Amino acid sequence: MRHASPADLVALAEGVDRPDVRTHLDHCAICREEFTALEAMLGDHARTESVDGPGDAWGGAGFVPEPSPLFWTHFPRRVGRALEQAMQQGPGWWARARLSWTWPWLGSAMAAALILGVVLGSELSSLSRATSTERGLAADAGGPGDGDASQESIGAANSDEMVDSHTGTAADDDGWAMLLLMADTAVWEETAGAELFLPDGAAERAVFDLSLAEREELQRLLASEIGDHVVETS
Amino acid sequence: MLSGAPDLLASEGAGYGTDPELVRGCLAGSPGAFDLLVQLHQRAVYRLCYRFMGNHEDAADLSQEVFLRAHRGLVSFRSQSSLSIWLYRIGVNLCLNRVSAKRPATEPLVGDNASDPPAVDPVDRLEQGAQEQRLRRAVARLPPRQRAVVVLRIYQELPHKEIAATVGSSVGAVKANFFHAMGNLRRLLGTDEAGRSGREAGEDAS
């Protein structure tokens, strides 16, 4: 048997004539019980005798004390002043940001940052491991492949000072370290929980959204860190 | 349009016969048009906010915010819905946000700024006040959406269709929310009553 829906029961309790629902209630104890409880909840409180005359507990509970008459006189002026103030201040940086930023843009930027973080994080880790191995091997062999030489060779490939500072020891740079930390500790379920959603394809779109100069910079950064691997960002 | 609003519109002599005309006046920067809009709707908006928040300060603050938001968003007002429903929608959203931010601290209590009705038998008054307080407290403990529907249906006496337009859902969903809200209230009041009886029994025994 199909039970009456909540909407049907509400309609009936509110006085809408529903013979079909009435008939159903005659034969269905479960729905009848639900309806009786609903009706009681609405009716009992509505029928409660008020000491102030006709009234009900619902009305009493919803009673809104009247503010002073001056409140109403001043309220439009209060709103007007607030409006003037808002207009004089103009949109704040956040409002401007909200106007000019669109969520897809923000999503793309975040995706780009995460791509960078994830890729560089993993590649730097492997580079670091490789360097350590090289150092170990060099130390074992007593050859020229010491740590300084290793840094020098990478540094030579990166004439830019910013990149130079990132070579070999990313942890020396706070910004880089933060990026690596983000990439290492990023838990996708948690980012989703924080409402940082990356829709499907956002990462790809993020790369496509980069300007030519930004792509070149990304390519250069990745190439400098990954070394001989080919990096395709376009 | 709220009751009494046409009179005020006419008495102002500003030539705004309808909500859309008033909105057009506001958008055109006609002097006094937005003031008139505020005057027409301030009480209804304030009552809505008060019933959500349970105190004058929050209600006044949120009412002001409703009109600020409305001013910013007048361009997007669609005349398919009434201005009051549109303002209610802004108000409900603001109240739900505020309630969420303040939970679980907000429990409207009788006596907050309340100017009590005329003096009656103190015992009767206490009993009635206690019942109203329990009901009010129970409503305040409902999930925000159910609370919105109860406030709009029982206190603001909006039809389900207008509530649906206000909270942005279907009429069926509103009725279902209302139904579940009543069930929750029944349980909350039952728990409250049982707790009270228990406390009283404990006090009697000690």
Side-chain angles (χ1 to χ4, degrees), chain B residues 25-103:
Chain B
C26 293
L27 289 172
S30 302
F34 192 71
D35 271 0
L36 179 58
L37 185 151
V38 174
Q39 283 174 49
L40 286 170
H41 296 279
Q42 60 186 6
R43 286 173 190 269
V45 168
Y46 174 85
R47 283 194 199 106
L48 172 78
C49 295
Y50 189 98
R51 282 167 175 155
F52 257 98
M53 307 310 300
N55 67 79
H56 172 74
E57 285 72 26
D58 279 336
D61 184 33
L62 285 170
S63 301
Q64 177 182 309
E65 189 60 28
V66 167
F67 287 108
L68 290 181
R69 299 272 176 109
H71 188 269
R72 280 205 292 270
L74 272 176
V75 179
S76 65
F77 171 68
R78 301 278 178 269
S79 51
Q80 288 92 336
S81 68
S82 74
L83 197 49
S84 56
I85 293 297
W86 185 63
L87 292 171
Y88 277 163
R89 182 183 293 187
I90 299 173
V92 165
N93 285 331
L94 284 171
C95 288
L96 288 177
N97 286 342
R98 180 72 65 93
V99 165
S100 301
K102 290 182 83 170
R103 286 177 81 191

Side-chain angles (χ1 to χ4, degrees), chain A residues 107-195:
Chain A
S108 301
M110 283 165 50
L114 281 170
I115 289 171
L116 270 174
V118 171
V119 172
L120 295 183
S122 62
E123 292 300 332
L124 275 179
S125 299
S126 59
L127 183 68
S128 171
R129 280 195 298 276
T131 308
S132 304
T133 311
E134 268 180 40
R135 282 176 186 162
L137 288 172
D140 289 346
D146 60 12
D148 290 342
S150 171
Q151 276 198 346
E152 215 169 90
S153 65
I154 296 171
N158 306 300
S159 56
D160 186 292
E161 188 188 334
M162 178 185 75
V163 177
D164 207 25
S165 69
H166 298 150
T167 56
T169 53
D172 292 345
D173 182 272
D174 289 342
W176 218 233
M178 189 177 74
L179 199 59
L180 287 174
L181 187 68
M182 280 171 63
D184 278 350
T185 58
V187 179
W188 293 108
E189 287 78 4
E190 285 177 9
T191 59
E195 298 189 354

Side-chain angles (χ1 to χ4, degrees), chain A residues 69-94:
Chain A
L70 283 176
F71 175 77
W72 298 122
T73 310
H74 288 292
F75 188 73
R77 274 179 248 167
R78 174 179 164 169
V79 172
R81 276 198 303 273
L83 272 176
E84 276 174 26
Q85 203 175 0
M87 286 175 181
Q88 279 169 4
Q89 287 173 346
W93 72 268
W94 177 242

Side-chain angles (χ1 to χ4, degrees), chain B residues 163-182:
Chain B
I163 297 173
T166 304
V167 299
S169 66
S170 67
V171 173
V174 165
K175 286 183 177 173
N177 263 317
F178 187 69
F179 177 82
H180 294 305
M182 290 300 114

Side-chain angles (χ1 to χ4, degrees), chain A residues 2-151:
Chain A
R2 191 168 165 269
H3 291 295
S5 70
D8 288 338
L9 295 176
V10 167
L12 195 63
E14 290 184 343
V16 178
D17 189 25
R18 294 290 304 271
D20 53 330
V21 184
R22 280 264 177 226
T23 308
H24 174 76
L25 292 185
D26 289 341
H27 300 95
C28 178
I30 296 171
C31 289
R32 198 163 52 243
E33 192 182 333
E34 291 278 5
F35 178 72
T36 306
L38 175 66
E39 204 176 29
M41 190 61 222
L42 287 169
D44 282 356
H45 288 285
R47 279 197 296 271
T48 300
E49 281 302 313
S50 164
V51 291
D52 300 325
D56 55 64
W58 282 114
F63 174 71
V64 177
E66 180 70 11
S68 97
L70 283 176
F71 175 77
W72 298 122
T73 310
H74 288 292
F75 188 73
R77 274 179 248 167
R78 174 179 164 169
V79 172
R81 276 198 303 273
L83 272 176
E84 276 174 26
Q85 203 175 0
M87 286 175 181
Q88 279 169 4
Q89 287 173 346
W93 72 268
W94 177 242
R96 279 197 300 275
R98 280 198 301 178
L99 287 174
S100 60
W101 289 13
T102 57
W103 284 109
W105 188 96
L106 190 58
S108 301
M110 283 165 50
L114 281 170
I115 289 171
L116 270 174
V118 171
V119 172
L120 295 183
S122 62
E123 292 300 332
L124 275 179
S125 299
S126 59
L127 183 68
S128 171
R129 280 195 298 276
T131 308
S132 304
T133 311
E134 268 180 40
R135 282 176 186 162
L137 288 172
D140 289 346
D146 60 12
D148 290 342
S150 171
Q151 276 198 346

